[in-house]
């Protein structure tokens, strides 16, 4: 069996002449290319840049209704005005929000359907502009105004006037996710990815909801106010763009961050229902306090810096703890924005060097532990330890921890989660030396084991990786070599 090589399998022999596919690399496996983590972010950046150039000197606008202040007959008045917002600013806000959503998705590390984040963000965008926000403001308990200077009273005012009602509104999609977890049992249901069964689910939906809330506030209130101000005072409206960028970027330590923190507690309550009556109020109070602290800062840069850094640090700690608590930890990808995705189990094991046997030989060391040392020591391809592989139709797929088998590699199978992954190699959480192949497809596998007969492997179950095991799933037949 050919050993694993850095950068992938050596597919072309070394020679003096370039092949046609080498001269024209566009002739490649596009399904595999599109599955790479960098592909769609790169495409989105290319599209956004072209749109931004197109709208840079364009008069194209989108009219929004804004509760703006304007000078009428020499008097400052407030009312609903129709304000044209340049399409350039709308594209810029959407692109920055999408970049933050992608970063949050990668850091959380739980694979889900692509439509979850935009759907939740869109839902909160719409609910923020509906009567639901007015209903949520019953939690302000009559506190409406905020102080212009920082003080403990200003923080309390911010806690009630903005913190409690707005954090409660942003948590609606997370609450729906908890409800869906009790109602939907079919993994193929399109609402399955919206279920909240653990803290990571709550964090991801909370961040998405916060992004939608910020988009609504920014594009229908703060930016239009700047445009109205500029037109009333006959000055440049460039301040609108200058305000938009930090407001949307502040999501990382603002609305999306606070909603993600509250989402952690809601997800923890879903995982520990006996403590729900204590966890949910704590989460709401903490998120509302951070929110109120920001709004009560009196625009003091020092106070805002303290709140922003503290908020982000708290979200980072919540993500790390959520990953530790996750019942699906072996299926999580590495918590990072860029780079190769690996399961959490492989991340831990890659830091563990193989231990020799009492006789001094490493030959008896578990194959899973040996394989994780690749790239950490100097080895030639010929000296590298042998690894099991899945052979199907003359194609070998190495079975090391973190490897994902996709629909592009096995066209006969369909992913049960809709993310293109039909199987994954993961370590046993109780014994990291034992690795298994988990069925993530819609089909039930017929397994023939060596000396132990045969059995059926349904979706979500795992089979221990041993040479000689034969897998039969309809038209797909594979053997572990």
């Amino acid at each position: 069996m050919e050993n694993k090589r850095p950068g992938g399998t050596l597919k072309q022999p070394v020679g003096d002449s370039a092949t046609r596919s080498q001269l024209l690399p566009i002739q490649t496996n596009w399904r595999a290319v599109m599955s790479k983590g960098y592909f769609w972010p790169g495409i989105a950046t290319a599209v956004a840049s072209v749109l931004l150039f197109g709208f840079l000197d364009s008069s194209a606008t989108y009219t929004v209704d804004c509760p703006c202040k304007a000078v009428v007959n020499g008097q400052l008045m407030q009312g609903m005005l129709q304000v044209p917002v340049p399409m350039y600013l709308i594209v810029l806000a959407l692109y920055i929000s999408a970049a933050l959503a992608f970063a949050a998705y990668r850091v959380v590390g739980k694979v889900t359907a692509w439509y979850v984040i935009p759907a939740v963000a869109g839902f909160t965008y719409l609910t923020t502009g509906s009567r639901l926000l007015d209903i949520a403001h019953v939690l302000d308990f009559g506190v409406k105004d905020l102080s212009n200077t920082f003080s403990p009273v200003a923080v309390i005012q911010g806690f009630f006037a903005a913190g409690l009602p707005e954090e409660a509104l942003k948590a609606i999609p997370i609450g729906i996710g908890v409800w869906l977890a009790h109602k939907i049992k079919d993994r193929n249901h399109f609402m399955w990815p919206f279920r909240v069964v653990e803290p990571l689910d709550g964090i991801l939906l909370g961040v998405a909801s916060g992004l939608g809330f910020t988009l609504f506030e920014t594009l229908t209130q703060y930016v239009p106010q700047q445009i109205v101000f500029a037109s009333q005072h006959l000055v440049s409206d460039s301040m609108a763009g200058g305000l938009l960028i930090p407001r949307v970027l502040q999501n990382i330590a603002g609305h999306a961050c606070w909603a993600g923190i509250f989402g952690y507690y809601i997800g923890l309550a879903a995982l520990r229902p006996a403590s729900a009556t204590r966890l949910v109020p704590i989460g709401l109070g903490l998120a509302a306090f951070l929110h109120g602290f920001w709004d009560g800062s009196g625009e003091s840069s020092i106070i805002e810096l303290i709140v922003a850094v503290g908020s982000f640090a708290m979200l980072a700690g919540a993500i790390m703890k959520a990953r530790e608590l996750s019942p699906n930890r072996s299926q999580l990808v590495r918590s990072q924005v860029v780079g190769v995705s690996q399961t959490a189990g492989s991340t831990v094991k890659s830091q563990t060097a193989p231990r020799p046997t009492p006789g001094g030989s490493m030959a008896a060391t578990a194959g899973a532990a040996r394989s994780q040392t690749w790239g950490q020591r100097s080895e030639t391809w010929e000296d590298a330890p042998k690894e099991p592989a899945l052979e199907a139709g003359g194609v070998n797929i190495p079975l090391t921890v973190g490897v994902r088998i996709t629909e592009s590699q096995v066209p006969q199978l369909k992913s049960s989660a809709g993310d293109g992954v039909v199987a994954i190699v993961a370590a046993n959480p109780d014994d990291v030396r034992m690795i298994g192949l988990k069925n993530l497809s819609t089909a039930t596998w017929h397994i023939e084991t060596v000396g132990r007969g045969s059995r059926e492997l349904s979706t979500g179950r795992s089979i221990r990786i041993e040479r000689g095991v034969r897998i039969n799933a309809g038209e797909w037949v594979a053997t572990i070599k």
Side-chain angles (χ1 to χ4, degrees), residues 316-338:
I319 292 174
M320 186 173 72
K321 179 57 66 176
R323 289 173 62 86
E324 293 175 359
L325 294 172
S326 176
N328 304 301
R329 190 180 181 196
S330 63
Q331 300 176 35
L332 301 180
V333 299
R334 182 178 296 173
S335 184
Q336 59 183 22
V337 178
V338 295

Side-chain angles (χ1 to χ4, degrees), residues 45-341:
T45 300
V47 171
S49 62
V50 171
L51 291 175
L52 289 172
F53 274 120
F55 290 128
L56 186 60
D57 297 319
S58 171
S59 59
T61 59
Y62 179 77
T63 301
V64 300
D65 293 326
C66 168
C68 296
K69 295 179 181 179
V71 178
V72 179
N73 297 326
Q75 293 184 343
L76 183 63
M77 303 183 66
Q78 183 167 349
M80 296 299 295
L81 298 177
Q82 289 191 329
V83 182
V85 178
M87 288 299 299
Y88 178 91
L89 296 182
I90 293 176
V91 172
L92 183 60
L94 291 174
Y95 175 72
I96 296 175
S97 298
L100 292 175
F102 172 76
Y105 174 73
R106 291 300 302 267
V107 171
V108 167
K110 185 173 182 178
V111 178
T112 189
W114 65 268
Y115 53 82
V116 170
I117 292 180
V120 171
F123 176 87
T124 302
Y125 183 96
L126 295 175
T127 56
T128 306
S130 70
R131 295 290 298 175
L132 282 176
L133 181 58
D134 296 331
I135 296 173
H137 264 287
V138 300
L139 296 174
D140 62 26
F141 298 100
V143 180
K144 304 295 183 182
D145 299 323
L146 296 176
S147 175
N148 293 325
T149 58
F150 172 72
S151 67
V153 173
V155 174
I156 295 174
Q157 289 176 331
F159 177 86
F160 287 103
L164 283 178
E166 293 181 4
E167 295 309 320
L169 178 77
K170 289 184 288 182
I172 291 177
I174 313 173
I176 294 175
V178 175
W179 177 78
L180 289 174
H182 293 282
K183 295 296 182 180
I184 297 180
K185 306 302 180 183
D186 181 10
R187 291 180 60 93
N188 296 320
H189 197 287
F190 79 99
M191 293 296 287
W192 175 273
F194 293 94
R195 298 164 72 251
V196 174
V197 297
E198 60 167 306
L200 284 178
D201 298 326
I203 293 173
L204 193 61
L205 265 61
V207 169
S209 184
L211 290 171
F213 185 91
T214 300
L215 278 174
F216 183 86
E217 271 197 337
T218 302
L219 295 178
T220 67
Q221 182 178 350
Y222 293 101
V223 166
Q225 284 177 352
Q226 289 293 333
I227 294 174
V228 171
F229 176 85
S231 64
Q232 291 282 322
H233 294 80
L234 301 179
V235 295
S236 172
D237 62 359
S238 60
M239 288 180 61
L243 174 66
L244 179 144
I245 294 174
R247 268 203 60 83
V248 179
L249 281 176
Q250 197 249 342
N251 264 304
I252 197 172
H255 281 297
C257 177
W258 304 324
I261 292 172
F262 189 17
Y264 165 82
Y265 284 92
I266 297 177
L268 187 59
L271 191 64
R272 306 280 189 267
S275 303
T277 55
R278 181 166 56 96
L279 292 170
V280 173
I282 290 175
L284 176 58
L286 181 57
F289 172 75
L290 293 171
H291 191 157
F293 213 121
W294 175 273
D295 284 7
S297 65
E299 298 185 356
S300 168
S301 298
I302 298 299
I303 300 299
E304 289 179 346
L305 178 62
I306 293 173
V307 177
V309 172
S311 297
F312 178 75
M314 198 166 296
L315 176 63
I319 292 174
M320 186 173 72
K321 179 57 66 176
R323 289 173 62 86
E324 293 175 359
L325 294 172
S326 176
N328 304 301
R329 190 180 181 196
S330 63
Q331 300 176 35
L332 301 180
V333 299
R334 182 178 296 173
S335 184
Q336 59 183 22
V337 178
V338 295
V340 179
S341 297

